[in-house]
Amino acid sequence: MPANILDGVKTAAAIRAEVAAEIKKMTAAGIHPGLAVVLVGHNPASEIYVRGKVKSCEEVGIYSEKHTPSGSVTTEDLLALVHDLNRREEIDGILVQLPLPPQVDSKKILLAVDPAKDVDGFHPMNVGLLSTQREGLVPCTPAGVMEILKRSGIPIAGQNAVVVGRSDIVGKPMAMLLINANATVTVCHSKTRDLAALCRQADILVAAIGRAGMITREFVRPGATVIDVGMNTVTDAAEFERFFAGNARREETFRTKGSTLVGDVHPEVAQIAGAITPVPGGVGPLTIAMLMSNTLRAAKLRRGTKAA
Ligand code: GUN
């Protein structure tokens, strides 16, 4: 039986509507939450992500501003910008889009962001708060995954969850959130032995590796919930065929655009999974919705209003 498709677009719209309703109330009370996005240089993928973030702010009523230092910016100049944003009262959230150019010390920059304004949840203070189950700001992508699981009625407590990928942005915080929700969690990575066998133990499988279609049907227990965090652009015709041969809609996109987006999960998995997030239209929209939600939370926490 084909999987239940977990609709990230719909879930993200519901989250944005909830955020917008709260922002409207705050604005009426004279509080205008604000987000500053820092985009360094001209990384095409980052430019697309940032455009989506700014547009989403407009939709929910969050004030936003974009800072675009050149690709040759120094760590010191970027630190000065972050310090300035930290000081500004009307800025509730600061997001420094990653990756940063190689001459910039990314760790130093992330450490400089005021933890109270760290809407990405990347500051070591927020990482520590999450790992000790204290109130803080949680990274947007894993927070979005938890939202879609909960809102889709998928049980988490007592379930076997396997997270493939151990990045600071997704894998590690994802594992922490699932542990905090009482799942039994295994974290796998490129050095893991017999990855497929471990993945087959999963009731909930989260793929956050960054390799197109790596999770094939041998990795998935029939009926499992599969969350695909991957966003891989495929431009090679042979690779395209491997994933989407016979899919008329995808073939049309590939012909006209010369590329298509593929997750870390092979499309064949949709035939055996119990539930699955599509790419596009799964986790991607949730990430931006959770950024809006985090900005609202930061505004409330900083201004002493109880967070939702
Ligand atoms: N680059 C890729 N994903 C992210 C993210 O979630 N936040 C930031 N700041 N940069 C990213």
Side-chain angles (χ1 to χ4, degrees), residues 46 49 53 95-99 120 122 140-141 169 287:
S46 292
Y49 292 146
K53 290 169 183 181
L95 182 145
V96 182
Q97 187 66 30
L98 302 176
D120 257 330
F122 294 164
C140 301
T141 299
I169 294 182
T287 297

Side-chain angles (χ1 to χ4, degrees), residues 39-261:
L39 172 64
V40 179
H42 293 287
N43 177 322
S46 292
E47 282 174 348
I48 293 170
Y49 292 146
V50 166
R51 208 176 305 141
K53 290 169 183 181
V54 170
K55 182 165 161 269
S56 195
C57 282
E58 280 165 23
E59 280 172 21
V60 302
I62 290 175
Y63 163 76
S64 76
E65 57 184 41
K66 193 168 89 173
H67 297 262
T68 55
S70 97
S72 60
V73 73
T74 62
T75 301
E76 286 64 36
D77 285 348
L78 211 46
L79 280 175
L81 172 58
V82 169
H83 288 143
D84 181 50
L85 295 170
N86 282 344
R87 270 193 299 271
R88 284 176 52 201
E89 192 48 38
E90 72 278 21
I91 296 298
D92 295 287
I94 301 170
L95 182 145
V96 182
Q97 187 66 30
L98 302 176
L100 291 170
Q103 81 277 7
V104 174
D105 185 338
S106 300
K107 286 207 157 93
K108 233 180 190 174
I109 301 298
L110 297 183
L111 193 61
V113 174
D114 178 349
K117 297 188 177 187
D118 172 36
V119 285
D120 257 330
F122 294 164
H123 190 285
M125 166 74 100
N126 282 315
V127 176
L129 292 172
L130 174 62
S131 82
T132 53
Q133 288 191 268
R134 292 176 164 94
E135 190 162 51
L137 292 162
V138 176
C140 301
T141 299
V145 172
M146 295 306 285
E147 281 297 320
I148 200 164
L149 288 173
K150 286 178 188 162
R151 289 172 189 244
S152 308
I154 291 163
I156 302 170
Q159 301 292 296
N160 286 340
V162 175
V163 179
V164 191
R166 55 173 155 181
S167 70
D168 293 341
I169 294 182
V170 183
K172 284 185 206 165
M174 186 76 254
M176 206 53 82
L177 284 166
L178 288 163
I179 291 170
N180 291 350
N182 299 313
T184 303
V185 180
T186 306
V187 182
C188 304
H189 47 78
S190 53
K191 301 274 195 300
T192 298
R193 274 185 284 130
D194 207 353
L195 181 63
L198 274 175
C199 289
R200 277 198 304 274
Q201 302 290 316
D203 302 307
I204 299 169
L205 179 62
V206 182
I209 320 139
R211 282 185 55 189
M214 198 190 102
I215 303 295
T216 52
R217 58 191 306 150
E218 309 79 84
F219 290 69
V220 180
R221 182 180 63 70
T225 297
V226 180
I227 304 291
D228 190 352
V229 180
M231 296 247 269
N232 311 290
T233 304
V234 167
T235 52
D236 178 74
E239 203 181 8
F240 174 83
E241 284 294 309
R242 185 162 83 80
F243 298 126
F244 298 115
N247 181 330
R249 200 165 46 91
R250 288 282 192 159
E251 280 168 355
E252 173 65 22
T253 317
F254 193 68
R255 232 190 339 268
T256 51
K257 278 184 64 187
S259 69
T260 193
L261 204 58

Side-chain angles (χ1 to χ4, degrees), residues 69 277 302:
T277 59
R302 279 186 63 241

